[in-house]
Amino acid sequence: MAPSASKAPKRKGLSLEVPALLAGLVLGAAGALYWAGSASQPQIEAQAQQLQAELTNHRIELAQVRAQLDALTGRLVMEESTRKGLETTLQATQAELGQARDQLAFFDQLLPPGPKGAISIRALDIERLGPTLQYKVLLMRNAQDDTPFKGHMQFVAAGVQQGKPVKITLHPALAPGSADSVSPEATGLDLSFDQFLRSGGLLSVPEGFTPQAVTLNILEGGTLRVSRRINLPAAE
């Protein structure tokens, strides 16, 4: 009977120790949590401030990138518009060049250029324009080498002055007071071209002279290479 009596007090002691141990563990864990929480609070605040500063910097960088993107987009739109404009101009110029080549080929069929080195006046138009004559001329050359043709245009008008028939060599119309300051090379009558040349300008008509016809002479040095005469309509 003694052994059974000694076991009862031992079980009762264990039942008292377990709740006490559990209570100690709970209190210790709570204290540790409280201590850990109070000890890391400054670090958390510092990290939060650092993150806030980094966020602000990122927002500034994002705004700068957006501004750069807007500027590049605007520049791209402008460059795209300029590129399209240049492409349109290029296409129009190529179309005009093609038409000019077709017309040139047509003229070649109508008027053969002649032997090598020959100069021809393919088109000549002269009309009255106020006190001057406006001329337009198309010259062609059947080139025999790479050396350009160098010559001079001479316009000789036949008409009436003071009731008498006269012939007068016409000169380019210049602005008043500029005749002394303009060299002969700048008058537009000198020629230098390889295969064809379009030229135009105004010719001065002397006062009291009524031109009735104009002859264009193409000179190379003192040699006459080709000429053409145009009759003018009567002055209104």
Side-chain angles (χ1 to χ4, degrees), residues 8-81:
K10 186 177 181 179
R11 186 181 295 120
K12 183 176 180 180
L14 288 174
S15 62
L16 293 176
E17 290 176 358
V18 171
L21 180 60
L22 291 176
L25 291 175
V26 170
L27 291 175
L33 289 175
Y34 175 78
W35 177 84
S38 60
S40 61
Q41 188 67 24
Q43 297 178 356
I44 294 175
E45 291 179 355
Q47 291 179 356
Q49 292 177 357
Q50 182 179 359
L51 292 175
Q52 184 66 33
E54 292 178 357
L55 180 60
T56 302
N57 291 334
H58 289 321
R59 287 176 177 173
I60 295 174
E61 292 177 356
L62 180 59
Q64 293 176 348
V65 171
R66 285 179 177 174
Q68 293 176 357
L69 179 60
D70 293 340
L72 291 176
T73 302
R75 187 181 304 171
L76 181 61
V77 171
M78 184 177 298
E79 291 178 354
E80 182 69 14
S81 177

Side-chain angles (χ1 to χ4, degrees), residues 104 108 113 118-120 122 138-149 192-198:
L104 187 59
D108 285 337
I119 303 295
S120 60
R122 292 305 182 90
L138 173 62
L139 303 176
M140 293 196 62
R141 170 176 176 254
N142 189 5
Q144 58 183 353
D145 51 34
D146 295 333
T147 303
F149 170 79
S192 179
F193 67 97
D194 293 325
Q195 295 182 346
F196 68 93
L197 172 70
R198 286 182 178 178

Side-chain angles (χ1 to χ4, degrees), residues 23 26 30 67 124 126 136 157 163 167 203:
V26 170
L124 176 62
I126 299 177
K136 297 178 182 178
K167 288 186 177 181
L203 299 173

Side-chain angles (χ1 to χ4, degrees), residues 58-118:
H58 289 321
R59 287 176 177 173
I60 295 174
E61 292 177 356
L62 180 59
Q64 293 176 348
V65 171
R66 285 179 177 174
Q68 293 176 357
L69 179 60
D70 293 340
L72 291 176
T73 302
R75 187 181 304 171
L76 181 61
V77 171
M78 184 177 298
E79 291 178 354
E80 182 69 14
S81 177
T82 303
R83 183 182 64 82
K84 290 182 178 180
L86 292 175
E87 288 179 352
T88 302
T89 303
L90 178 61
Q91 292 175 357
T93 303
Q94 288 176 342
E96 293 178 357
L97 180 59
Q99 293 177 357
R101 288 175 177 171
D102 293 340
Q103 293 176 357
L104 187 59
F106 177 73
F107 289 145
D108 285 337
Q109 293 177 358
L110 293 179
L111 299 172
K116 293 291 186 179

Side-chain angles (χ1 to χ4, degrees), residues 121 124 126 135 137 139 151-157 168-172 187-191 203 214-229:
I121 302 174
L124 176 62
I126 299 177
Y135 71 90
V137 60
L139 303 176
H152 184 77
M153 290 190 296
Q154 181 187 61
F155 292 91
V156 180
I168 296 178
T169 300
L170 303 179
H171 300 283
T187 61
L189 297 183
D190 288 336
L191 301 174
L203 299 173
V214 177
T215 300
L216 169 61
N217 298 320
I218 303 299
L219 304 173
E220 185 179 17
T223 303
L224 177 63
R225 298 293 301 272
V226 66
S227 66
R228 180 180 291 190
R229 176 185 173 96

